[in-house]
mmCIF file of all heavy atoms in Angstrom:
data_model
loop_
_atom_site.group_PDB
_atom_site.id
_atom_site.type_symbol
_atom_site.label_atom_id
_atom_site.label_comp_id
_atom_site.label_asym_id
_atom_site.label_seq_id
_atom_site.Cartn_x
_atom_site.Cartn_y
_atom_site.Cartn_z
ATOM 1 N N ALA P 2 12.130 -75.555 191.196
ATOM 2 C CA ALA P 2 12.570 -76.414 190.089
ATOM 3 C C ALA P 2 11.675 -76.209 188.868
ATOM 4 O O ALA P 2 12.160 -76.168 187.719
ATOM 5 C CB ALA P 2 12.540 -77.877 190.525
ATOM 6 N N GLU P 3 10.382 -76.049 189.100
ATOM 7 C CA GLU P 3 9.436 -75.802 188.014
ATOM 8 C C GLU P 3 9.776 -74.499 187.286
ATOM 9 O O GLU P 3 9.796 -74.453 186.038
ATOM 10 C CB GLU P 3 8.016 -75.743 188.557
ATOM 11 C CG GLU P 3 6.961 -75.499 187.479
ATOM 12 C CD GLU P 3 5.578 -75.307 188.065
ATOM 13 O OE1 GLU P 3 5.476 -74.762 189.200
ATOM 14 O OE2 GLU P 3 4.591 -75.670 187.402
ATOM 15 N N ALA P 4 10.057 -73.472 188.057
ATOM 16 C CA ALA P 4 10.392 -72.166 187.466
ATOM 17 C C ALA P 4 11.687 -72.252 186.661
ATOM 18 O O ALA P 4 11.801 -71.657 185.567
ATOM 19 C CB ALA P 4 10.525 -71.122 188.574
ATOM 20 N N GLU P 5 12.644 -73.022 187.174
ATOM 21 C CA GLU P 5 13.928 -73.174 186.474
ATOM 22 C C GLU P 5 13.742 -73.923 185.157
ATOM 23 O O GLU P 5 14.343 -73.550 184.127
ATOM 24 C CB GLU P 5 14.927 -73.925 187.363
ATOM 25 C CG GLU P 5 15.415 -73.103 188.555
ATOM 26 C CD GLU P 5 16.265 -73.922 189.513
ATOM 27 O OE1 GLU P 5 16.435 -75.137 189.257
ATOM 28 O OE2 GLU P 5 16.746 -73.358 190.520
ATOM 29 N N LYS P 6 12.944 -74.980 185.171
ATOM 30 C CA LYS P 6 12.692 -75.750 183.944
ATOM 31 C C LYS P 6 11.981 -74.882 182.902
ATOM 32 O O LYS P 6 12.300 -74.935 181.707
ATOM 33 C CB LYS P 6 11.815 -76.975 184.253
ATOM 34 C CG LYS P 6 12.415 -77.973 185.237
ATOM 35 C CD LYS P 6 13.711 -78.565 184.750
ATOM 36 C CE LYS P 6 14.286 -79.557 185.770
ATOM 37 N NZ LYS P 6 15.627 -80.047 185.372
ATOM 38 N N GLN P 7 10.998 -74.090 183.379
ATOM 39 C CA GLN P 7 10.271 -73.205 182.468
ATOM 40 C C GLN P 7 11.214 -72.166 181.856
ATOM 41 O O GLN P 7 11.117 -71.861 180.649
ATOM 42 C CB GLN P 7 9.135 -72.507 183.227
ATOM 43 C CG GLN P 7 7.973 -73.425 183.576
ATOM 44 C CD GLN P 7 6.926 -72.741 184.431
ATOM 45 O OE1 GLN P 7 7.251 -71.886 185.258
ATOM 46 N NE2 GLN P 7 5.663 -73.106 184.246
ATOM 47 N N ALA P 8 12.127 -71.650 182.665
ATOM 48 C CA ALA P 8 13.097 -70.654 182.174
ATOM 49 C C ALA P 8 14.045 -71.280 181.159
ATOM 50 O O ALA P 8 14.383 -70.658 180.125
ATOM 51 C CB ALA P 8 13.891 -70.075 183.358
ATOM 52 N N THR P 9 14.459 -72.537 181.435
ATOM 53 C CA THR P 9 15.363 -73.241 180.514
ATOM 54 C C THR P 9 14.689 -73.478 179.169
ATOM 55 O O THR P 9 15.292 -73.277 178.100
ATOM 56 C CB THR P 9 15.789 -74.596 181.133
ATOM 57 O OG1 THR P 9 16.503 -74.348 182.350
ATOM 58 C CG2 THR P 9 16.686 -75.361 180.163
ATOM 59 N N ILE P 10 13.430 -73.908 179.229
ATOM 60 C CA ILE P 10 12.667 -74.161 177.991
ATOM 61 C C ILE P 10 12.501 -72.861 177.200
ATOM 62 O O ILE P 10 12.672 -72.837 175.961
ATOM 63 C CB ILE P 10 11.298 -74.779 178.320
ATOM 64 C CG1 ILE P 10 11.482 -76.204 178.847
ATOM 65 C CG2 ILE P 10 10.395 -74.788 177.081
ATOM 66 C CD1 ILE P 10 10.218 -76.822 179.396
ATOM 67 N N ALA P 11 12.185 -71.778 177.894
ATOM 68 C CA ALA P 11 12.011 -70.480 177.231
ATOM 69 C C ALA P 11 13.310 -70.047 176.567
ATOM 70 O O ALA P 11 13.302 -69.515 175.431
ATOM 71 C CB ALA P 11 11.559 -69.444 178.243
ATOM 72 N N GLU P 12 14.418 -70.293 177.263
ATOM 73 C CA GLU P 12 15.725 -69.911 176.712
ATOM 74 C C GLU P 12 16.058 -70.740 175.476
ATOM 75 O O GLU P 12 16.539 -70.192 174.450
ATOM 76 C CB GLU P 12 16.798 -70.105 177.779
ATOM 77 C CG GLU P 12 18.181 -69.633 177.337
ATOM 78 C CD GLU P 12 19.225 -69.785 178.427
ATOM 79 O OE1 GLU P 12 18.972 -70.523 179.422
ATOM 80 O OE2 GLU P 12 20.301 -69.186 178.301
ATOM 81 N N LEU P 13 15.823 -72.049 175.520
ATOM 82 C CA LEU P 13 16.099 -72.935 174.394
ATOM 83 C C LEU P 13 15.209 -72.601 173.193
ATOM 84 O O LEU P 13 15.672 -72.632 172.028
ATOM 85 C CB LEU P 13 15.891 -74.401 174.810
ATOM 86 C CG LEU P 13 16.936 -74.972 175.783
ATOM 87 C CD1 LEU P 13 16.493 -76.325 176.310
ATOM 88 C CD2 LEU P 13 18.313 -75.076 175.092
ATOM 89 N N GLU P 14 13.962 -72.270 173.484
ATOM 90 C CA GLU P 14 13.050 -71.881 172.400
ATOM 91 C C GLU P 14 13.511 -70.581 171.745
ATOM 92 O O GLU P 14 13.353 -70.385 170.518
ATOM 93 C CB GLU P 14 11.622 -71.746 172.951
ATOM 94 C CG GLU P 14 10.968 -73.090 173.260
ATOM 95 C CD GLU P 14 9.581 -72.927 173.871
ATOM 96 O OE1 GLU P 14 9.277 -71.800 174.353
ATOM 97 O OE2 GLU P 14 8.801 -73.902 173.866
ATOM 98 N N ASP P 15 14.080 -69.699 172.536
ATOM 99 C CA ASP P 15 14.612 -68.446 172.001
ATOM 100 C C ASP P 15 15.810 -68.723 171.088
ATOM 101 O O ASP P 15 15.975 -68.065 170.036
ATOM 102 C CB ASP P 15 15.025 -67.533 173.142
ATOM 103 C CG ASP P 15 15.399 -66.140 172.653
ATOM 104 O OD1 ASP P 15 14.527 -65.487 172.029
ATOM 105 O OD2 ASP P 15 16.540 -65.698 172.886
ATOM 106 N N TYR P 16 16.639 -69.723 171.503
ATOM 107 C CA TYR P 16 17.774 -70.122 170.661
ATOM 108 C C TYR P 16 17.272 -70.650 169.316
ATOM 109 O O TYR P 16 17.833 -70.329 168.250
ATOM 110 C CB TYR P 16 18.604 -71.216 171.343
ATOM 111 C CG TYR P 16 19.442 -70.733 172.494
ATOM 112 C CD1 TYR P 16 20.039 -71.647 173.376
ATOM 113 C CD2 TYR P 16 19.676 -69.365 172.717
ATOM 114 C CE1 TYR P 16 20.830 -71.220 174.438
ATOM 115 C CE2 TYR P 16 20.461 -68.928 173.765
ATOM 116 C CZ TYR P 16 21.029 -69.859 174.627
ATOM 117 O OH TYR P 16 21.808 -69.430 175.665
ATOM 118 N N MET P 17 16.208 -71.484 169.383
ATOM 119 C CA MET P 17 15.638 -72.058 168.159
ATOM 120 C C MET P 17 15.102 -70.955 167.251
ATOM 121 O O MET P 17 15.302 -70.972 166.030
ATOM 122 C CB MET P 17 14.478 -73.008 168.520
ATOM 123 C CG MET P 17 14.926 -74.361 169.023
ATOM 124 S SD MET P 17 15.487 -75.463 167.712
ATOM 125 C CE MET P 17 13.950 -75.792 166.852
ATOM 126 N N LYS P 18 14.441 -69.983 167.852
ATOM 127 C CA LYS P 18 13.837 -68.904 167.096
ATOM 128 C C LYS P 18 14.890 -68.054 166.387
ATOM 129 O O LYS P 18 14.684 -67.596 165.240
ATOM 130 C CB LYS P 18 12.997 -68.030 168.033
ATOM 131 C CG LYS P 18 12.275 -66.905 167.334
ATOM 132 C CD LYS P 18 11.444 -66.106 168.332
ATOM 133 C CE LYS P 18 10.721 -64.952 167.661
ATOM 134 N NZ LYS P 18 9.912 -64.163 168.629
ATOM 135 N N ASN P 19 15.998 -67.860 167.064
ATOM 136 C CA ASN P 19 17.049 -66.995 166.521
ATOM 137 C C ASN P 19 18.176 -67.777 165.844
ATOM 138 O O ASN P 19 19.229 -67.200 165.520
ATOM 139 C CB ASN P 19 17.635 -66.125 167.638
ATOM 140 C CG ASN P 19 16.627 -65.127 168.172
ATOM 141 O OD1 ASN P 19 16.225 -64.186 167.479
ATOM 142 N ND2 ASN P 19 16.163 -65.344 169.411
ATOM 143 N N HIS P 20 17.958 -69.117 165.646
ATOM 144 C CA HIS P 20 18.920 -69.974 164.964
ATOM 145 C C HIS P 20 20.289 -69.928 165.645
ATOM 146 O O HIS P 20 21.339 -69.826 164.989
ATOM 147 C CB HIS P 20 19.050 -69.571 163.482
ATOM 148 C CG HIS P 20 17.742 -69.545 162.772
ATOM 149 N ND1 HIS P 20 17.009 -70.676 162.451
ATOM 150 C CD2 HIS P 20 16.990 -68.477 162.325
ATOM 151 C CE1 HIS P 20 15.894 -70.330 161.838
ATOM 152 N NE2 HIS P 20 15.839 -68.989 161.753
ATOM 153 N N LEU P 21 20.286 -70.016 166.980
ATOM 154 C CA LEU P 21 21.537 -70.005 167.737
ATOM 155 C C LEU P 21 21.855 -71.427 168.185
ATOM 156 O O LEU P 21 21.244 -71.958 169.092
ATOM 157 C CB LEU P 21 21.416 -69.089 168.967
ATOM 158 C CG LEU P 21 21.103 -67.616 168.671
ATOM 159 C CD1 LEU P 21 20.855 -66.852 169.968
ATOM 160 C CD2 LEU P 21 22.240 -66.990 167.882
ATOM 161 N N GLY P 22 22.791 -72.052 167.461
ATOM 162 C CA GLY P 22 23.178 -73.407 167.798
ATOM 163 C C GLY P 22 22.522 -74.437 166.912
ATOM 164 O O GLY P 22 21.771 -74.117 165.982
ATOM 165 N N ASP P 23 22.815 -75.733 167.247
ATOM 166 C CA ASP P 23 22.308 -76.851 166.471
ATOM 167 C C ASP P 23 20.826 -77.039 166.796
ATOM 168 O O ASP P 23 20.442 -77.315 167.938
ATOM 169 C CB ASP P 23 23.086 -78.122 166.826
ATOM 170 C CG ASP P 23 22.739 -79.279 165.895
ATOM 171 O OD1 ASP P 23 21.529 -79.516 165.714
ATOM 172 O OD2 ASP P 23 23.658 -79.919 165.394
ATOM 173 N N ALA P 24 19.981 -76.893 165.779
ATOM 174 C CA ALA P 24 18.542 -76.957 165.968
ATOM 175 C C ALA P 24 18.102 -78.322 166.488
ATOM 176 O O ALA P 24 17.217 -78.422 167.365
ATOM 177 C CB ALA P 24 17.832 -76.630 164.669
ATOM 178 N N VAL P 25 18.701 -79.400 165.975
ATOM 179 C CA VAL P 25 18.328 -80.764 166.401
ATOM 180 C C VAL P 25 18.670 -80.971 167.872
ATOM 181 O O VAL P 25 17.866 -81.514 168.652
ATOM 182 C CB VAL P 25 19.041 -81.817 165.534
ATOM 183 C CG1 VAL P 25 18.742 -83.215 166.044
ATOM 184 C CG2 VAL P 25 18.626 -81.692 164.061
ATOM 185 N N GLU P 26 19.869 -80.525 168.229
ATOM 186 C CA GLU P 26 20.327 -80.672 169.631
ATOM 187 C C GLU P 26 19.450 -79.843 170.573
ATOM 188 O O GLU P 26 19.068 -80.295 171.652
ATOM 189 C CB GLU P 26 21.788 -80.230 169.740
ATOM 190 C CG GLU P 26 22.350 -80.425 171.125
ATOM 191 C CD GLU P 26 23.818 -79.982 171.204
ATOM 192 O OE1 GLU P 26 24.442 -79.742 170.159
ATOM 193 O OE2 GLU P 26 24.311 -79.866 172.354
ATOM 194 N N ILE P 27 19.133 -78.601 170.126
ATOM 195 C CA ILE P 27 18.298 -77.721 170.961
ATOM 196 C C ILE P 27 16.894 -78.306 171.137
ATOM 197 O O ILE P 27 16.334 -78.312 172.237
ATOM 198 C CB ILE P 27 18.198 -76.319 170.323
ATOM 199 C CG1 ILE P 27 19.577 -75.637 170.356
ATOM 200 C CG2 ILE P 27 17.153 -75.475 171.053
ATOM 201 C CD1 ILE P 27 19.634 -74.326 169.585
ATOM 202 N N LYS P 28 16.345 -78.862 170.031
ATOM 203 C CA LYS P 28 15.017 -79.452 170.099
ATOM 204 C C LYS P 28 14.990 -80.650 171.047
ATOM 205 O O LYS P 28 14.037 -80.843 171.813
ATOM 206 C CB LYS P 28 14.586 -79.871 168.694
ATOM 207 C CG LYS P 28 13.132 -80.325 168.624
ATOM 208 C CD LYS P 28 12.741 -80.605 167.177
ATOM 209 C CE LYS P 28 11.270 -81.029 167.094
ATOM 210 N NZ LYS P 28 10.853 -81.275 165.684
ATOM 211 N N ALA P 29 16.070 -81.439 171.034
ATOM 212 C CA ALA P 29 16.167 -82.606 171.912
ATOM 213 C C ALA P 29 16.213 -82.162 173.380
ATOM 214 O O ALA P 29 15.595 -82.783 174.250
ATOM 215 C CB ALA P 29 17.408 -83.423 171.550
ATOM 216 N N LYS P 30 16.958 -81.077 173.624
ATOM 217 C CA LYS P 30 17.049 -80.542 174.988
ATOM 218 C C LYS P 30 15.692 -80.020 175.469
ATOM 219 O O LYS P 30 15.331 -80.184 176.634
ATOM 220 C CB LYS P 30 18.084 -79.431 175.038
ATOM 221 C CG LYS P 30 19.525 -79.938 174.984
ATOM 222 C CD LYS P 30 20.502 -78.775 175.097
ATOM 223 C CE LYS P 30 21.936 -79.280 175.078
ATOM 224 N NZ LYS P 30 22.924 -78.171 175.193
ATOM 225 N N ILE P 31 14.988 -79.363 174.540
ATOM 226 C CA ILE P 31 13.656 -78.841 174.900
ATOM 227 C C ILE P 31 12.726 -80.000 175.281
ATOM 228 O O ILE P 31 12.008 -79.949 176.285
ATOM 229 C CB ILE P 31 13.058 -78.034 173.736
ATOM 230 C CG1 ILE P 31 13.822 -76.723 173.569
ATOM 231 C CG2 ILE P 31 11.565 -77.754 173.983
ATOM 232 C CD1 ILE P 31 13.398 -75.916 172.341
ATOM 233 N N THR P 32 12.751 -81.082 174.475
ATOM 234 C CA THR P 32 11.909 -82.252 174.737
ATOM 235 C C THR P 32 12.247 -82.873 176.094
ATOM 236 O O THR P 32 11.349 -83.214 176.881
ATOM 237 C CB THR P 32 12.085 -83.300 173.629
ATOM 238 O OG1 THR P 32 11.734 -82.719 172.355
ATOM 239 C CG2 THR P 32 11.223 -84.523 173.889
ATOM 240 N N ALA P 33 13.555 -83.019 176.366
ATOM 241 C CA ALA P 33 13.997 -83.624 177.625
ATOM 242 C C ALA P 33 13.610 -82.745 178.826
ATOM 243 O O ALA P 33 13.157 -83.247 179.865
ATOM 244 C CB ALA P 33 15.505 -83.835 177.586
ATOM 245 N N THR P 34 13.769 -81.431 178.653
ATOM 246 C CA THR P 34 13.453 -80.506 179.749
ATOM 247 C C THR P 34 11.952 -80.470 180.017
ATOM 248 O O THR P 34 11.524 -80.372 181.174
ATOM 249 C CB THR P 34 13.956 -79.089 179.408
ATOM 250 O OG1 THR P 34 15.362 -79.143 179.107
ATOM 251 C CG2 THR P 34 13.757 -78.152 180.593
ATOM 252 N N ARG P 35 11.157 -80.561 178.951
ATOM 253 C CA ARG P 35 9.705 -80.599 179.126
ATOM 254 C C ARG P 35 9.284 -81.853 179.892
ATOM 255 O O ARG P 35 8.377 -81.799 180.750
ATOM 256 C CB ARG P 35 9.013 -80.546 177.772
ATOM 257 C CG ARG P 35 8.920 -79.134 177.203
ATOM 258 C CD ARG P 35 8.294 -79.127 175.852
ATOM 259 N NE ARG P 35 8.131 -77.747 175.369
ATOM 260 C CZ ARG P 35 7.868 -77.434 174.091
ATOM 261 N NH1 ARG P 35 7.724 -78.423 173.179
ATOM 262 N NH2 ARG P 35 7.737 -76.180 173.723
ATOM 263 N N LYS P 36 9.928 -82.987 179.624
ATOM 264 C CA LYS P 36 9.631 -84.215 180.351
ATOM 265 C C LYS P 36 9.964 -84.040 181.839
ATOM 266 O O LYS P 36 9.215 -84.472 182.719
ATOM 267 C CB LYS P 36 10.428 -85.371 179.760
ATOM 268 C CG LYS P 36 10.085 -86.715 180.389
ATOM 269 C CD LYS P 36 10.861 -87.834 179.725
ATOM 270 C CE LYS P 36 10.483 -89.186 180.337
ATOM 271 N NZ LYS P 36 10.659 -89.239 181.796
#
């Protein structure tokens, strides 16, 4: 589960970096996944 959460966060951060999708929504998902 830890590895999956880390992979999800890395993927969402990549979306943020490349401006893929809604930045606010992606940031919220990153925060929730980190928790």
Side-chain angles (χ1 to χ4, degrees):
E3 180 186 32
E5 289 173 358
K6 299 299 180 186
Q7 288 175 326
T9 298
I10 291 171
E12 184 178 16
L13 290 170
E14 287 177 343
D15 188 59
Y16 287 167
M17 282 283 291
K18 182 179 179 180
N19 293 292
H20 306 289
L21 300 174
D23 189 311
V25 176
E26 183 180 348
I27 293 172
K28 188 175 181 179
K30 285 182 179 180
I31 290 174
T32 301
T34 305
R35 280 177 176 165
K36 185 178 181 305

